[in-house]
Amino acid sequence: MDRFYDTPCEPKRMNALNLAFVGDCVFDLFVRERLTCMLDAPVNTLHRRAVEQVCCGSQAKAAQRLLPNFTEEEKAIYLRGRNAHTAHLPKNSTPADYHAATALEAVFGYLYLQGNLSRLRELFSMICEME
């Protein structure tokens, strides 16, 4: 994948929370892209719909449904993300949902930093089909 910078990137060696930091943005972008292409709606409506899909609970459900479809490598990243120690827990979410959402984001960040956009789109399509 072409990058905007010259620094080498080794996602396998990255902290799971750093992967989730990137994966959060990637997942959000995919949701926004899909909503924008599907709906001719005001921005506040698009935003409200995006928030519903990017929240911990929705991501945790998506993660549980995707887990059987993960490769062994993706499962390992998922487990690292799920077991990462975080000091923050958003209100209105359970610790289990937060950890599952963080794990899903870690997988998305890992695949993105590897440049594996086709796999990202495949996983995101599976999520969309499950809704």
Side-chain angles (χ1 to χ4, degrees):
M1 174 169 82
D2 291 332
R3 299 197 188 282
F4 295 111
Y5 52 87
D6 293 330
T7 307
C9 185
E10 297 181 47
K12 284 186 181 184
R13 298 175 54 135
M14 288 185 175
N15 177 296
L17 294 178
N18 291 0
L19 294 173
F21 174 74
V22 172
D24 177 47
C25 295
V26 173
F27 190 83
D28 188 54
L29 179 62
F30 278 27
V31 167
R32 288 171 182 246
E33 175 188 315
R34 180 172 182 255
L35 288 173
T36 302
C37 292
M38 285 178 44
L39 303 175
D40 182 18
V43 172
N44 62 348
T45 301
L46 294 172
H47 175 73
R48 197 170 39 255
R49 295 279 303 270
V51 168
E52 291 170 1
Q53 294 177 39
V54 179
C55 73
C56 284
S58 293
Q59 285 184 331
K61 287 177 189 170
Q64 293 307 312
R65 288 185 236 140
L66 278 183
L67 194 53
N69 299 296
F70 284 157
T71 65
E72 290 304 314
E73 186 176 21
E74 292 163 353
K75 284 179 187 173
I77 297 298
Y78 179 87
L79 292 174
R80 282 178 45 203
R82 190 190 67 193
N83 295 332
H85 296 286
T86 59
H88 173 72
L89 181 66
K91 61 182 178 180
N92 301 325
S93 73
T94 66
D97 281 355
Y98 186 67
H99 288 291
T102 300
L104 178 67
E105 291 170 350
V107 172
F108 270 64
Y110 177 77
L111 291 171
Y112 176 80
L113 291 172
Q114 277 195 319
N116 198 344
L117 297 182
S118 61
R119 180 61 175 159
L120 276 170
R121 291 213 175 270
E122 182 181 346
L123 291 175
F124 190 73
S125 292
M126 286 181 206
I127 291 170
C128 295
E129 291 169 8
M130 295 172 186
E131 290 179 353

